[in-house]
Amino acid sequence: QVQLVESGGGLVQAGDSLRLSCAASGRTFSSYAMGWFRQAPGKERDLVATISWSGGSTDYADSVKGRFTISRDNAKNTVYLQMNSLKPEDTAVYACAAARGGWRTMIPSQYNYWGQGTQVTVSS
């Protein structure tokens, strides 16, 4: 069982940066791949970034490539999402999730545990 708690959301202007954090409970955090999802009002939940158990492999949705960076610190049981050059269309609730097996995956159904999410609002 993994419990996930996100933090770092807020209201920013277009072009600004923000870093989200996701703190995980449990001693087996390093055995999970991690992902960041987002969901805007009236839209489906999208997976925007994923990272392998070691942090050595990452992948991103096309909409955020070159602007967002996912990373993790297994010693701190934490995964991060650095978001640069934010746009109004990045406005959403962002949630982290954990996938058993450790390999990064852009397949949402492979994620087993979810956090509650943190709101990110980007004004124009």
Side-chain angles (χ1 to χ4, degrees), residues 69-89:
T69 302
I70 188 171
S71 61
R72 67 190 295 162
D73 185 338
N74 286 341
K76 296 182 178 179
N77 279 15
T78 302
V79 63
Y80 305 98
L81 186 67
Q82 177 67 43
M83 304 185 294
N84 298 330
S85 302
L86 282 162
K87 305 175 182 180
E89 51 263 45

Side-chain angles (χ1 to χ4, degrees), residues 33-35 37 45-50 59 97-100 103-112 114:
M34 298 296 296
F37 289 76
R45 183 173 58 191
D46 292 326
L47 177 57
V48 297
T50 179
D59 201 2
R100 296 191 191 101
W103 300 107
R104 63 168 174 82
T105 175
M106 292 296 286
I107 302 174
S109 62
Q110 294 187 346
Y111 287 83
N112 308 105
W114 298 83

